[in-house]
């Protein structure tokens, strides 16, 4: 699969994946909305994508509920900034799969201060809200 960048003026993720059912369309619409919110740098926009009882798991821990997820994303968004405005190049999706209510993607990224060589996310989406997310990535390298 070709690489699909998620920054301004780049190919949309919806066109990168074959969607077979209405459920998969809703899943991809939610995923694309989440990517757009992340690119905007707005924690409020990101949090609108998560169910009240959502859980995000990372190598650093488990974040349950919107208050804990807010703390996680405040740090992430501070590192990436508003990629639409050019604060950083952002995240480039390398592989993207959707099946029913689940999205899996691998990616690499460049934030304001760091380069992330490899990352992977999985999201479980129900009622157009993210219920579960896992995030893992190789240790980032500082930019010179």
């Amino acid at each position: 699969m070709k690489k699909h960048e998620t920054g301004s003026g780049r190919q949309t993720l919806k066109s990168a994946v074959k969607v077979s059912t209405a459920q998969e369309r809703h899943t991809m619409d939610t995923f694309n909305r989440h990517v757009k919110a992340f690119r905007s740098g707005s924690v409020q926009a990101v949090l609108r994508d998560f169910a009240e009882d959502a859980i995000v798991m990372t190598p650093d821990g488990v974040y349950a509920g919107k208050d804990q997820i807010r703390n996680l994303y405040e740090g992430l968004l501070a590192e990436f900034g508003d990629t639409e405005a050019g604060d950083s190049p952002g995240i480039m999706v390398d592989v993207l799969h959707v099946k029913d209510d689940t999205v899996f993607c691998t990616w690499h990224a460049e934030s304001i201060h760091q380069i992330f060589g490899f990352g992977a996310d999985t999201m479980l989406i129900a009622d157009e809200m993210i219920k579960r997310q896992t995030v893992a990535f190789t240790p980032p390298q500082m930019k010179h």
Side-chain angles (χ1 to χ4, degrees):
M1 174 174 283
K2 294 179 184 174
K3 293 181 182 179
H4 300 280
E5 298 180 8
T6 61
S8 178
R10 299 175 183 143
Q11 183 175 6
T12 63
L13 294 175
K14 183 181 271 186
S15 65
V17 166
K18 183 180 180 197
V19 176
S20 302
T21 66
Q23 182 182 29
E24 289 175 354
R25 268 193 308 282
H26 291 302
T27 299
M28 282 307 302
D29 287 346
T30 303
F31 177 78
N32 285 326
R33 185 181 69 227
H34 180 68
V35 169
K36 183 177 180 181
F38 188 90
R39 288 190 332 232
S40 77
S42 167
V43 71
Q44 292 82 10
V46 167
L47 287 175
R48 280 194 291 271
D49 295 326
F50 285 95
E52 290 298 324
D53 61 346
I55 296 171
V56 178
M57 295 180 163
T58 76
D60 293 329
V62 177
Y63 301 84
K66 284 193 174 186
D67 287 340
Q68 290 183 7
I69 293 170
R70 173 188 305 278
N71 291 336
L72 169 67
Y73 272 92
E74 283 175 343
L76 289 171
L77 294 173
E79 180 61 33
F80 281 89
D82 181 344
T83 62
E84 290 287 328
D87 290 347
S88 72
I91 297 172
M92 284 61 70
V93 174
D94 299 312
V95 174
L96 180 62
H97 299 291
V98 61
K99 181 65 177 162
D100 300 329
D101 59 357
T102 306
V103 174
F104 171 78
C105 68
T106 64
W107 50 268
H108 65 282
E110 187 175 337
S111 68
I112 296 168
H113 304 289
Q114 301 179 89
I115 297 172
F116 299 78
F118 177 83
D121 280 50
T122 301
M123 294 179 188
L124 176 68
I125 296 171
D127 300 320
E128 300 185 26
M129 303 293 287
I130 300 168
K131 296 285 287 177
R132 302 289 183 266
Q133 180 181 15
T134 64
V135 182
F137 48 86
T138 56
Q141 302 298 313
M142 293 301 291
K143 289 171 140 179
H144 300 301

